[in-house]
Structure formats: C-alpha cells, structure tokens
PDB file of all heavy atoms in Angstrom:
ATOM      1  N   PRO A 156     -15.033 -23.117 -10.992  1.00 92.00           N
ATOM      2  CA  PRO A 156     -14.569 -24.090 -10.005  1.00 92.00           C
ATOM      3  C   PRO A 156     -13.614 -25.099 -10.630  1.00 92.00           C
ATOM      4  O   PRO A 156     -13.739 -25.446 -11.809  1.00 92.00           O
ATOM      5  CB  PRO A 156     -15.855 -24.765  -9.523  1.00 92.00           C
ATOM      6  CG  PRO A 156     -16.956 -23.840  -9.918  1.00 92.00           C
ATOM      7  CD  PRO A 156     -16.496 -23.152 -11.168  1.00 92.00           C
ATOM      8  N   VAL A 157     -12.665 -25.573  -9.860  1.00 94.00           N
ATOM      9  CA  VAL A 157     -11.759 -26.599 -10.344  1.00 94.00           C
ATOM     10  C   VAL A 157     -12.544 -27.877 -10.600  1.00 94.00           C
ATOM     11  O   VAL A 157     -13.422 -28.248  -9.815  1.00 94.00           O
ATOM     12  CB  VAL A 157     -10.620 -26.835  -9.329  1.00 94.00           C
ATOM     13  CG1 VAL A 157     -11.153 -27.323  -7.988  1.00 94.00           C
ATOM     14  CG2 VAL A 157      -9.588 -27.803  -9.871  1.00 94.00           C
ATOM     15  N   PRO A 158     -12.315 -28.564 -11.728  1.00 94.00           N
ATOM     16  CA  PRO A 158     -13.034 -29.819 -11.999  1.00 94.00           C
ATOM     17  C   PRO A 158     -12.877 -30.813 -10.861  1.00 94.00           C
ATOM     18  O   PRO A 158     -11.818 -30.918 -10.235  1.00 94.00           O
ATOM     19  CB  PRO A 158     -12.365 -30.321 -13.283  1.00 94.00           C
ATOM     20  CG  PRO A 158     -11.870 -29.075 -13.965  1.00 94.00           C
ATOM     21  CD  PRO A 158     -11.442 -28.174 -12.846  1.00 94.00           C
ATOM     22  N   GLY A 159     -13.962 -31.546 -10.600  1.00 91.00           N
ATOM     23  CA  GLY A 159     -14.000 -32.424  -9.440  1.00 91.00           C
ATOM     24  C   GLY A 159     -12.908 -33.453  -9.395  1.00 91.00           C
ATOM     25  O   GLY A 159     -12.339 -33.735  -8.330  1.00 91.00           O
ATOM     26  N   GLU A 160     -12.556 -34.041 -10.540  1.00 91.00           N
ATOM     27  CA  GLU A 160     -11.522 -35.078 -10.529  1.00 91.00           C
ATOM     28  C   GLU A 160     -10.150 -34.513 -10.182  1.00 91.00           C
ATOM     29  O   GLU A 160      -9.323 -35.191  -9.561  1.00 91.00           O
ATOM     30  CB  GLU A 160     -11.469 -35.801 -11.881  1.00 91.00           C
ATOM     31  CG  GLU A 160     -10.995 -34.972 -13.071  1.00 91.00           C
ATOM     32  CD  GLU A 160     -12.093 -34.156 -13.731  1.00 91.00           C
ATOM     33  OE1 GLU A 160     -13.191 -34.030 -13.141  1.00 91.00           O
ATOM     34  OE2 GLU A 160     -11.845 -33.644 -14.848  1.00 91.00           O
ATOM     35  N   LEU A 161      -9.897 -33.240 -10.571  1.00 92.00           N
ATOM     36  CA  LEU A 161      -8.631 -32.613 -10.207  1.00 92.00           C
ATOM     37  C   LEU A 161      -8.596 -32.273  -8.723  1.00 92.00           C
ATOM     38  O   LEU A 161      -7.579 -32.455  -8.055  1.00 92.00           O
ATOM     39  CB  LEU A 161      -8.419 -31.347 -11.041  1.00 92.00           C
ATOM     40  CG  LEU A 161      -8.229 -31.561 -12.546  1.00 92.00           C
ATOM     41  CD1 LEU A 161      -8.104 -30.216 -13.261  1.00 92.00           C
ATOM     42  CD2 LEU A 161      -7.014 -32.426 -12.830  1.00 92.00           C
ATOM     43  N   ALA A 162      -9.707 -31.781  -8.211  1.00 90.00           N
ATOM     44  CA  ALA A 162      -9.766 -31.460  -6.781  1.00 90.00           C
ATOM     45  C   ALA A 162      -9.624 -32.716  -5.937  1.00 90.00           C
ATOM     46  O   ALA A 162      -8.928 -32.721  -4.910  1.00 90.00           O
ATOM     47  CB  ALA A 162     -11.076 -30.759  -6.465  1.00 90.00           C
ATOM     48  N   ALA A 163     -10.266 -33.792  -6.362  1.00 93.00           N
ATOM     49  CA  ALA A 163     -10.255 -35.021  -5.569  1.00 93.00           C
ATOM     50  C   ALA A 163      -8.874 -35.644  -5.472  1.00 93.00           C
ATOM     51  O   ALA A 163      -8.564 -36.340  -4.494  1.00 93.00           O
ATOM     52  CB  ALA A 163     -11.249 -36.018  -6.165  1.00 93.00           C
ATOM     53  N   SER A 164      -8.041 -35.396  -6.481  1.00 93.00           N
ATOM     54  CA  SER A 164      -6.719 -36.026  -6.503  1.00 93.00           C
ATOM     55  C   SER A 164      -5.619 -35.137  -5.934  1.00 93.00           C
ATOM     56  O   SER A 164      -4.440 -35.494  -5.995  1.00 93.00           O
ATOM     57  CB  SER A 164      -6.366 -36.430  -7.936  1.00 93.00           C
ATOM     58  OG  SER A 164      -6.371 -35.296  -8.784  1.00 93.00           O
ATOM     59  N   ALA A 165      -5.985 -33.982  -5.402  1.00 95.00           N
ATOM     60  CA  ALA A 165      -4.981 -33.041  -4.897  1.00 95.00           C
ATOM     61  C   ALA A 165      -4.396 -33.501  -3.575  1.00 95.00           C
ATOM     62  O   ALA A 165      -5.112 -33.960  -2.686  1.00 95.00           O
ATOM     63  CB  ALA A 165      -5.601 -31.660  -4.737  1.00 95.00           C
ATOM     64  N   HIS A 166      -3.100 -33.360  -3.445  1.00 96.00           N
ATOM     65  CA  HIS A 166      -2.450 -33.563  -2.153  1.00 96.00           C
ATOM     66  C   HIS A 166      -2.640 -32.338  -1.257  1.00 96.00           C
ATOM     67  O   HIS A 166      -2.668 -32.453  -0.033  1.00 96.00           O
ATOM     68  CB  HIS A 166      -0.959 -33.827  -2.339  1.00 96.00           C
ATOM     69  CG  HIS A 166      -0.655 -35.130  -3.007  1.00 96.00           C
ATOM     70  ND1 HIS A 166      -0.546 -35.271  -4.365  1.00 96.00           N
ATOM     71  CD2 HIS A 166      -0.455 -36.361  -2.483  1.00 96.00           C
ATOM     72  CE1 HIS A 166      -0.261 -36.524  -4.667  1.00 96.00           C
ATOM     73  NE2 HIS A 166      -0.207 -37.208  -3.543  1.00 96.00           N
ATOM     74  N   GLU A 167      -2.732 -31.162  -1.892  1.00 97.00           N
ATOM     75  CA  GLU A 167      -2.986 -29.928  -1.144  1.00 97.00           C
ATOM     76  C   GLU A 167      -3.916 -29.060  -1.972  1.00 97.00           C
ATOM     77  O   GLU A 167      -3.707 -28.871  -3.168  1.00 97.00           O
ATOM     78  CB  GLU A 167      -1.699 -29.165  -0.858  1.00 97.00           C
ATOM     79  CG  GLU A 167      -1.924 -27.898  -0.044  1.00 97.00           C
ATOM     80  CD  GLU A 167      -0.637 -27.128   0.246  1.00 97.00           C
ATOM     81  OE1 GLU A 167       0.406 -27.468  -0.348  1.00 97.00           O
ATOM     82  OE2 GLU A 167      -0.692 -26.175   1.044  1.00 97.00           O
ATOM     83  N   ARG A 168      -4.957 -28.544  -1.321  1.00 96.00           N
ATOM     84  CA  ARG A 168      -5.875 -27.638  -1.986  1.00 96.00           C
ATOM     85  C   ARG A 168      -5.841 -26.306  -1.245  1.00 96.00           C
ATOM     86  O   ARG A 168      -6.089 -26.248  -0.034  1.00 96.00           O
ATOM     87  CB  ARG A 168      -7.286 -28.214  -2.005  1.00 96.00           C
ATOM     88  CG  ARG A 168      -8.268 -27.388  -2.835  1.00 96.00           C
ATOM     89  CD  ARG A 168      -9.580 -28.125  -3.026  1.00 96.00           C
ATOM     90  NE  ARG A 168     -10.540 -27.339  -3.799  1.00 96.00           N
ATOM     91  CZ  ARG A 168     -11.757 -27.755  -4.104  1.00 96.00           C
ATOM     92  NH1 ARG A 168     -12.173 -28.970  -3.693  1.00 96.00           N
ATOM     93  NH2 ARG A 168     -12.566 -26.991  -4.797  1.00 96.00           N
ATOM     94  N   ILE A 169      -5.513 -25.245  -1.973  1.00 97.00           N
ATOM     95  CA  ILE A 169      -5.374 -23.914  -1.389  1.00 97.00           C
ATOM     96  C   ILE A 169      -6.597 -23.089  -1.763  1.00 97.00           C
ATOM     97  O   ILE A 169      -6.900 -22.918  -2.947  1.00 97.00           O
ATOM     98  CB  ILE A 169      -4.092 -23.232  -1.897  1.00 97.00           C
ATOM     99  CG1 ILE A 169      -2.857 -24.067  -1.513  1.00 97.00           C
ATOM    100  CG2 ILE A 169      -3.977 -21.815  -1.346  1.00 97.00           C
ATOM    101  CD1 ILE A 169      -1.568 -23.579  -2.147  1.00 97.00           C
ATOM    102  N   ASP A 170      -7.283 -22.583  -0.750  1.00 97.00           N
ATOM    103  CA  ASP A 170      -8.465 -21.755  -0.970  1.00 97.00           C
ATOM    104  C   ASP A 170      -8.011 -20.355  -1.376  1.00 97.00           C
ATOM    105  O   ASP A 170      -7.459 -19.606  -0.566  1.00 97.00           O
ATOM    106  CB  ASP A 170      -9.303 -21.705   0.304  1.00 97.00           C
ATOM    107  CG  ASP A 170     -10.602 -20.916   0.139  1.00 97.00           C
ATOM    108  OD1 ASP A 170     -10.833 -20.355  -0.955  1.00 97.00           O
ATOM    109  OD2 ASP A 170     -11.383 -20.870   1.111  1.00 97.00           O
ATOM    110  N   GLY A 171      -8.239 -20.017  -2.647  1.00 98.00           N
ATOM    111  CA  GLY A 171      -7.770 -18.738  -3.159  1.00 98.00           C
ATOM    112  C   GLY A 171      -8.806 -17.639  -3.150  1.00 98.00           C
ATOM    113  O   GLY A 171      -8.560 -16.553  -3.703  1.00 98.00           O
ATOM    114  N   ARG A 172      -9.961 -17.848  -2.536  1.00 98.00           N
ATOM    115  CA  ARG A 172     -10.981 -16.798  -2.503  1.00 98.00           C
ATOM    116  C   ARG A 172     -10.438 -15.552  -1.809  1.00 98.00           C
ATOM    117  O   ARG A 172      -9.786 -15.641  -0.763  1.00 98.00           O
ATOM    118  CB  ARG A 172     -12.226 -17.305  -1.785  1.00 98.00           C
ATOM    119  CG  ARG A 172     -13.009 -18.354  -2.591  1.00 98.00           C
ATOM    120  CD  ARG A 172     -14.152 -18.921  -1.786  1.00 98.00           C
ATOM    121  NE  ARG A 172     -13.671 -19.645  -0.606  1.00 98.00           N
ATOM    122  CZ  ARG A 172     -14.458 -20.222   0.302  1.00 98.00           C
ATOM    123  NH1 ARG A 172     -15.787 -20.134   0.181  1.00 98.00           N
ATOM    124  NH2 ARG A 172     -13.938 -20.854   1.333  1.00 98.00           N
ATOM    125  N   GLY A 173     -10.699 -14.384  -2.427  1.00 98.00           N
ATOM    126  CA  GLY A 173     -10.183 -13.140  -1.876  1.00 98.00           C
ATOM    127  C   GLY A 173      -8.715 -12.907  -2.177  1.00 98.00           C
ATOM    128  O   GLY A 173      -8.076 -12.060  -1.535  1.00 98.00           O
ATOM    129  N   HIS A 174      -8.181 -13.625  -3.171  1.00 98.00           N
ATOM    130  CA  HIS A 174      -6.766 -13.512  -3.507  1.00 98.00           C
ATOM    131  C   HIS A 174      -6.578 -13.261  -5.004  1.00 98.00           C
ATOM    132  O   HIS A 174      -7.432 -13.596  -5.824  1.00 98.00           O
ATOM    133  CB  HIS A 174      -6.017 -14.791  -3.125  1.00 98.00           C
ATOM    134  CG  HIS A 174      -5.914 -15.028  -1.655  1.00 98.00           C
ATOM    135  ND1 HIS A 174      -7.000 -15.425  -0.896  1.00 98.00           N
ATOM    136  CD2 HIS A 174      -4.864 -14.952  -0.797  1.00 98.00           C
ATOM    137  CE1 HIS A 174      -6.609 -15.574   0.368  1.00 98.00           C
ATOM    138  NE2 HIS A 174      -5.317 -15.283   0.449  1.00 98.00           N
ATOM    139  N   LEU A 175      -5.422 -12.716  -5.330  1.00 98.00           N
ATOM    140  CA  LEU A 175      -4.955 -12.539  -6.700  1.00 98.00           C
ATOM    141  C   LEU A 175      -3.782 -13.489  -6.918  1.00 98.00           C
ATOM    142  O   LEU A 175      -2.832 -13.498  -6.123  1.00 98.00           O
ATOM    143  CB  LEU A 175      -4.503 -11.095  -6.932  1.00 98.00           C
ATOM    144  CG  LEU A 175      -3.686 -10.807  -8.202  1.00 98.00           C
ATOM    145  CD1 LEU A 175      -4.550 -10.976  -9.455  1.00 98.00           C
ATOM    146  CD2 LEU A 175      -3.082  -9.396  -8.145  1.00 98.00           C
ATOM    147  N   LEU A 176      -3.841 -14.278  -7.990  1.00 98.00           N
ATOM    148  CA  LEU A 176      -2.743 -15.179  -8.327  1.00 98.00           C
ATOM    149  C   LEU A 176      -2.029 -14.646  -9.559  1.00 98.00           C
ATOM    150  O   LEU A 176      -2.656 -14.382 -10.590  1.00 98.00           O
ATOM    151  CB  LEU A 176      -3.269 -16.587  -8.601  1.00 98.00           C
ATOM    152  CG  LEU A 176      -2.195 -17.657  -8.856  1.00 98.00           C
ATOM    153  CD1 LEU A 176      -1.414 -17.947  -7.574  1.00 98.00           C
ATOM    154  CD2 LEU A 176      -2.815 -18.943  -9.394  1.00 98.00           C
ATOM    155  N   THR A 177      -0.715 -14.483  -9.448  1.00 99.00           N
ATOM    156  CA  THR A 177       0.114 -14.023 -10.566  1.00 99.00           C
ATOM    157  C   THR A 177       1.284 -14.975 -10.744  1.00 99.00           C
ATOM    158  O   THR A 177       1.601 -15.765  -9.850  1.00 99.00           O
ATOM    159  CB  THR A 177       0.671 -12.610 -10.323  1.00 99.00           C
ATOM    160  OG1 THR A 177       1.670 -12.662  -9.285  1.00 99.00           O
ATOM    161  CG2 THR A 177      -0.430 -11.630  -9.946  1.00 99.00           C
ATOM    162  N   PRO A 178       1.964 -14.886 -11.876  1.00 99.00           N
ATOM    163  CA  PRO A 178       3.255 -15.572 -11.953  1.00 99.00           C
ATOM    164  C   PRO A 178       4.198 -15.033 -10.879  1.00 99.00           C
ATOM    165  O   PRO A 178       4.061 -13.878 -10.441  1.00 99.00           O
ATOM    166  CB  PRO A 178       3.762 -15.212 -13.359  1.00 99.00           C
ATOM    167  CG  PRO A 178       2.558 -14.761 -14.108  1.00 99.00           C
ATOM    168  CD  PRO A 178       1.649 -14.131 -13.095  1.00 99.00           C
ATOM    169  N   GLY A 179       5.138 -15.847 -10.455  1.00 98.00           N
ATOM    170  CA  GLY A 179       6.170 -15.338  -9.570  1.00 98.00           C
ATOM    171  C   GLY A 179       6.936 -14.211 -10.242  1.00 98.00           C
ATOM    172  O   GLY A 179       7.138 -14.205 -11.462  1.00 98.00           O
ATOM    173  N   LEU A 180       7.354 -13.235  -9.466  1.00 98.00           N
ATOM    174  CA  LEU A 180       8.043 -12.070 -10.011  1.00 98.00           C
ATOM    175  C   LEU A 180       9.498 -12.405 -10.327  1.00 98.00           C
ATOM    176  O   LEU A 180      10.124 -13.239  -9.660  1.00 98.00           O
ATOM    177  CB  LEU A 180       7.972 -10.904  -9.037  1.00 98.00           C
ATOM    178  CG  LEU A 180       6.576 -10.539  -8.518  1.00 98.00           C
ATOM    179  CD1 LEU A 180       6.646  -9.293  -7.639  1.00 98.00           C
ATOM    180  CD2 LEU A 180       5.575 -10.340  -9.658  1.00 98.00           C
ATOM    181  N   VAL A 181      10.036 -11.732 -11.348  1.00 98.00           N
ATOM    182  CA  VAL A 181      11.392 -11.983 -11.833  1.00 98.00           C
ATOM    183  C   VAL A 181      12.216 -10.712 -11.657  1.00 98.00           C
ATOM    184  O   VAL A 181      11.922  -9.679 -12.263  1.00 98.00           O
ATOM    185  CB  VAL A 181      11.373 -12.404 -13.314  1.00 98.00           C
ATOM    186  CG1 VAL A 181      12.799 -12.649 -13.822  1.00 98.00           C
ATOM    187  CG2 VAL A 181      10.517 -13.659 -13.509  1.00 98.00           C
ATOM    188  N   ASN A 182      13.226 -10.780 -10.822  1.00 98.00           N
ATOM    189  CA  ASN A 182      14.116  -9.645 -10.551  1.00 98.00           C
ATOM    190  C   ASN A 182      15.322  -9.757 -11.480  1.00 98.00           C
ATOM    191  O   ASN A 182      16.121 -10.682 -11.351  1.00 98.00           O
ATOM    192  CB  ASN A 182      14.559  -9.685  -9.088  1.00 98.00           C
ATOM    193  CG  ASN A 182      15.423  -8.504  -8.699  1.00 98.00           C
ATOM    194  OD1 ASN A 182      15.877  -7.739  -9.539  1.00 98.00           O
ATOM    195  ND2 ASN A 182      15.683  -8.369  -7.408  1.00 98.00           N
ATOM    196  N   THR A 183      15.471  -8.820 -12.406  1.00 98.00           N
ATOM    197  CA  THR A 183      16.511  -8.935 -13.413  1.00 98.00           C
ATOM    198  C   THR A 183      17.832  -8.255 -13.043  1.00 98.00           C
ATOM    199  O   THR A 183      18.791  -8.334 -13.816  1.00 98.00           O
ATOM    200  CB  THR A 183      16.022  -8.355 -14.755  1.00 98.00           C
ATOM    201  OG1 THR A 183      15.635  -6.988 -14.565  1.00 98.00           O
ATOM    202  CG2 THR A 183      14.832  -9.154 -15.281  1.00 98.00           C
ATOM    203  N   HIS A 184      17.900  -7.614 -11.863  1.00 98.00           N
ATOM    204  CA  HIS A 184      19.167  -6.962 -11.492  1.00 98.00           C
ATOM    205  C   HIS A 184      19.185  -6.673 -10.001  1.00 98.00           C
ATOM    206  O   HIS A 184      18.337  -5.946  -9.483  1.00 98.00           O
ATOM    207  CB  HIS A 184      19.354  -5.658 -12.266  1.00 98.00           C
ATOM    208  CG  HIS A 184      20.677  -4.985 -12.036  1.00 98.00           C
ATOM    209  ND1 HIS A 184      21.878  -5.525 -12.464  1.00 98.00           N
ATOM    210  CD2 HIS A 184      20.995  -3.823 -11.418  1.00 98.00           C
ATOM    211  CE1 HIS A 184      22.875  -4.718 -12.124  1.00 98.00           C
ATOM    212  NE2 HIS A 184      22.358  -3.672 -11.481  1.00 98.00           N
ATOM    213  N   HIS A 185      20.172  -7.243  -9.327  1.00 98.00           N
ATOM    214  CA  HIS A 185      20.355  -7.044  -7.894  1.00 98.00           C
ATOM    215  C   HIS A 185      21.847  -7.111  -7.607  1.00 98.00           C
ATOM    216  O   HIS A 185      22.631  -7.621  -8.418  1.00 98.00           O
ATOM    217  CB  HIS A 185      19.624  -8.151  -7.121  1.00 98.00           C
ATOM    218  CG  HIS A 185      19.167  -7.767  -5.742  1.00 98.00           C
ATOM    219  ND1 HIS A 185      19.930  -7.017  -4.878  1.00 98.00           N
ATOM    220  CD2 HIS A 185      18.033  -8.063  -5.061  1.00 98.00           C
ATOM    221  CE1 HIS A 185      19.269  -6.853  -3.740  1.00 98.00           C
ATOM    222  NE2 HIS A 185      18.117  -7.478  -3.836  1.00 98.00           N
ATOM    223  N   HIS A 186      22.247  -6.585  -6.441  1.00 98.00           N
ATOM    224  CA  HIS A 186      23.589  -6.795  -5.909  1.00 98.00           C
ATOM    225  C   HIS A 186      23.401  -7.286  -4.475  1.00 98.00           C
ATOM    226  O   HIS A 186      23.305  -6.481  -3.529  1.00 98.00           O
ATOM    227  CB  HIS A 186      24.407  -5.504  -5.928  1.00 98.00           C
ATOM    228  CG  HIS A 186      24.559  -4.882  -7.280  1.00 98.00           C
ATOM    229  ND1 HIS A 186      25.283  -5.481  -8.293  1.00 98.00           N
ATOM    230  CD2 HIS A 186      24.079  -3.720  -7.802  1.00 98.00           C
ATOM    231  CE1 HIS A 186      25.243  -4.716  -9.367  1.00 98.00           C
ATOM    232  NE2 HIS A 186      24.512  -3.642  -9.093  1.00 98.00           N
ATOM    233  N   LEU A 187      23.317  -8.577  -4.304  1.00 98.00           N
ATOM    234  CA  LEU A 187      22.916  -9.138  -3.019  1.00 98.00           C
ATOM    235  C   LEU A 187      23.888  -8.795  -1.896  1.00 98.00           C
ATOM    236  O   LEU A 187      23.473  -8.551  -0.757  1.00 98.00           O
ATOM    237  CB  LEU A 187      22.777 -10.659  -3.142  1.00 98.00           C
ATOM    238  CG  LEU A 187      21.636 -11.161  -4.034  1.00 98.00           C
ATOM    239  CD1 LEU A 187      21.756 -12.663  -4.240  1.00 98.00           C
ATOM    240  CD2 LEU A 187      20.266 -10.806  -3.437  1.00 98.00           C
TER     241      LEU A 187
END
C-alpha cells in the first residue's frame, strides 16, 4: 500500500487494482 502520508497529500489518487503499470512506450521510428 502507498504510505499514508503520501496518499493523504495527493491531489489525485488512481485506483490501480486490476491493472498493469509500465513506463510509457517509446516509438523510435515513424513517418507521421
């Protein structure tokens, strides 16, 4: 669980239960 003092000071708390958190993906080559 997130420590209580960090949770209490959050402007937004996102419930991540049932989710996978990863770094954002990096696309190294595109032609938009």
Side-chain angles (χ1 to χ4, degrees):
V157 62
E160 67 275 12
L161 294 177
S164 59
H166 292 90
E167 182 180 10
R168 187 170 179 180
I169 300 171
D170 183 357
R172 289 174 296 178
H174 292 73
L175 166 68
L176 185 69
T177 71
L180 308 184
V181 179
N182 183 349
T183 58
H184 185 67
H185 208 319
H186 302 293
L187 293 171

